[in-house]
Amino acid sequence: MSERWIRAGTAHVVEHRDRLLLVGDDGSVRVVTGASAAVIEVALAALAVPGDRAAVAAALADAFDGAPAPTLVDDTLALLAAVGAIVAAPAPAPRAPRVGPAVRVVLGLSGSVGAIAAPALVLALQRRGCEVQVVATRAALRFAPITGLEALTHRRVVRSLWSRDPAQPVPHLALAAWADLVLVCPASATTLARLAHGDHGCVLAATALCAQVPVVIAPSMNPAMLAEPAVQRNLAQLRDDGCYVVPPGDGVEVAEDPGARTGNRGGAPPPERMAALALAIHAAAGAAPAARAIDWQALHAAVPAGVDGDPDDELWAVIDRHAAPPGLLLDVGTGLGPVARAASDRGFAVVATDLAPAALAHARAAAGPRPITWLEDDVTASKLHGGFAVIVDRGCLHFLDVRAAVAWAATIVRLLAPGGVVVVKLDAAAAPAARATRRLDAAALAALLAPACALVEAVAGSFPSAAGPVPATTVVLRRRG
Ligand SMILES: Cc1cc2nc3c(=O)[nH]c(=O)nc-3n(C[C@H](O)[C@H](O)[C@H](O)COP(=O)(O)O)c2cc1C
C-alpha cells in the first residue's frame, strides 16, 4: 500500500440518502450504509489533501471521539483504493518557473478541432503565472466556448479587426504591443497560410504578424494535411521568419467513426506540455544570445588522430546514482565518443549519435572493438525510435538555439522509455561569455521537458578546457511512467 494518498480527481463515490455508492472504474457498484458510510466520508474529507494512514486515523479519532481500530483504517483505505476513490499521492512536482510577475500571453485560437482544449490551455498558462488574452478566428469559435474563455480570462475574446471601443480603435496593434508572447495554438492550415503570406485579414494573423515578441506556433491538423507541400512550405517560411514552430504530436481525426479512431500524429501538444513549452521558449528567447553556428564536421576533421576526449568521471558519478546497466543508452552528440566508451565498459547497450561523420570516425577508432552502434543523426530531427533507458547529452544542448532546443526536447521525450533518465551536462551561468553557449538552468530544462519528465537533481561541476575548468551543471530528469 502507498505511504501517502489523495482523493482521486474523478468522482467514484455518490451520495444517495443515507448510503454511499462506491463506483469502480469497471462500472461495479458497492453500497455502503450507516457507520461504514460515515467512516468513508471522514476518510475522503481527510484525503482532500495528500495524507498518510496516520492522518486518516487522526481524522477518524476526531470525528468519532476515540482512536479507530487499526483494521478499520486499513480496510477503509483498501476499499477506497480498490474502487479508485483514492490514489497514491504523487511526489510534489517541481514548480514550473515563473518568468517575471506575469507573462502576458496572447493566445490565438484558429479553426482546428484542437481548439476544444482551449480552456484547459488557458488554465495551464494561468497556473504558470500568465495573464491570458484570447484572440480567435470565426472558425475557432465553432470549437472553443467563448463564454467559458471570457469567464476564465476576465477579458473579452477578441474576434474582429474592427473595434467598437473608441479608446482602442486598432485591437491587433494594441494586443501586439501588450503581449510578451504570442501563442497560436491550435494553428490551422488556413491560419498558417495567412501567417506565412503576411495576410493581415483576420485579427489573429494581424496580431501575430505585428508582434515584436516571440511567436510560438503549434500546427494541428491531420497528418495528410500536414504533409501537403503547401503546408510544409508555409511552415518552413514561418521558421525562416523567426517563429517558433512546435512539432506536432498525438491527435485525433474527427472524420473517423468515434468507435474506430486510431489516433494520429498531427495534433498540438496537450495543454500542460504546451504551456510549459511556451514559457520555456519565452524564458530562453529573452536569455543568452543565440549560440553561434558551429561547423562540427570541419571542427572534428581537424582533430588529430589519437585525441579521444575527456572520460568525465564527474558526469559518471551522477549517472551511476540514477541508472545501472544493462539497458539501452543513447549518447547524443557523442563527439569523440568518451561517454559511449564508458557506458559500453559499464555494460550498457550503447547507441551513439553525432551530426558530423568526422566525429563518428574518430569515436569509432577510439572505441576499438566495443559493441557500440554509431549513427549519423541530428537530435533536433532524429530518425531514431524510442525505448532508451538512459539518454546522455554532454555539452550538446547548450549549443542549440531556442527553436532547436524545442525540437531537442521533443526528441528526448519521444525516445526516453517510461521511468528512464535523461542526463544533461551543460555550461553553467558562470561559464565565460566567450563560449557563446546558451545558459539553461535546471528549472528551464525541467520546463522544456515538462510535463513528461520530472527534475531529479542538478549537480554543479565543470568541463575541462585549455584555459582551466569551465563551470557546468549536470541535470538529471526522469520520464514519468
Ligand atoms: C469538424 C472540422 C474539424 C476541422 N479540424 C481542422 C483541423 O484540425 N485543422 C485544420 O487545419 N483545419 C481543420 N478544419 C478546417 C478549418 O476549420 C477551416 O480550414 C477553416 O477555414 C480554418 O479557418 P481559420 O484558420 O481562420 O480558423 C476543420 C473543419 C471542420 C468542419
Side-chain angles (χ1 to χ4, degrees), residues 43-394:
L44 283 174
L47 293 177
V49 293
D52 57 9
R53 190 186 170 287
V56 175
L60 290 172
D62 265 1
F64 300 110
D65 291 333
T71 50
L72 177 68
V73 181
D74 291 333
D75 291 350
T76 304
L77 289 174
L79 175 62
L80 292 175
V83 294
I86 60 172
V87 292
R95 281 189 74 77
R98 272 182 79 134
V99 190
V103 178
R104 291 180 293 196
V105 178
V106 165
L107 173 59
L109 306 177
S110 63
S112 150
V113 66
I116 56 175
L121 180 52
V122 169
L123 286 167
L125 289 163
Q126 288 173 334
R127 269 198 292 279
R128 288 167 170 78
C130 297
E131 200 177 331
V132 183
Q133 167 67 61
V134 177
V135 176
T137 64
R138 288 163 67 96
L141 293 174
R142 290 177 177 266
F143 299 108
I146 187 164
T147 316
L149 290 167
E150 291 185 343
L152 287 178
T153 58
H154 292 199
R155 290 168 170 274
R156 286 251 173 267
V157 171
V158 176
R159 303 181 260 170
S160 170
L161 280 168
W162 308 105
S163 169
R164 294 202 187 138
D165 177 0
Q168 201 195 74
V170 192
H172 65 281
L173 290 182
L175 287 171
W178 174 85
D180 296 319
L181 178 81
V182 176
L183 170 58
V184 185
C185 178
S188 72
T190 308
T191 287
L192 292 180
R194 282 194 199 105
L195 294 171
H197 292 272
D199 175 348
H200 291 61
C202 82
V203 69
L204 190 171
T207 304
L209 288 165
C210 293
Q212 299 294 312
V213 293
V215 176
V216 179
I217 295 178
S220 178
M221 65 201 70
N222 82 33
M225 280 174 84
L226 190 65
E228 286 166 13
V231 174
Q232 288 299 316
R233 267 200 310 277
N234 289 338
L235 286 172
Q237 181 64 57
L238 289 168
R239 283 188 205 100
D240 277 359
D241 291 347
C243 297
Y244 299 94
V245 178
V246 176
D250 294 338
V252 288
E253 175 49 71
V254 286
E256 288 172 0
D257 183 86
R261 281 182 196 140
T262 48
N264 64 40
R265 275 304 175 91
E272 290 295 332
R273 170 86 186 127
M274 185 66 257
L277 261 180
L279 281 194
I281 292 168
H282 173 263
R292 63 171 174 258
I294 296 174
D295 184 345
W296 291 107
Q297 173 64 8
L299 203 136
H300 281 107
V303 172
V307 175
D308 59 2
D310 169 39
D312 206 337
D313 295 338
E314 169 191 300
L315 172 71
W316 279 101
V318 178
I319 299 174
D320 288 340
R321 278 204 291 279
H322 301 286
L328 199 52
L329 181 147
L330 173 64
D331 176 20
V332 169
T334 190
L336 299 174
V339 170
R341 290 195 302 276
S344 178
D345 292 346
R346 276 171 165 74
F348 287 102
V350 181
V351 176
T353 65
D354 204 286
L355 270 180
L360 293 169
H362 274 295
R364 205 181 262 119
R370 291 179 179 88
I372 297 171
T373 304
W374 304 100
L375 295 173
E376 194 180 322
D377 189 62
D378 175 356
V379 65
T380 65
S382 177
K383 297 188 191 69
L384 299 188
H385 292 281
F388 289 91
V390 188
I391 299 180
V392 184
D393 176 320
R394 178 179 182 272

Side-chain angles (χ1 to χ4, degrees), residues 25-67:
D25 281 329
D26 56 359
S28 61
V29 179
R30 297 177 214 203
V31 179
V32 185
T33 56
S36 303
V39 166
I40 284 175
E41 281 183 336
V42 171
L44 283 174
L47 293 177
V49 293
D52 57 9
R53 190 186 170 287
V56 175
L60 290 172
D62 265 1
F64 300 110
D65 291 333

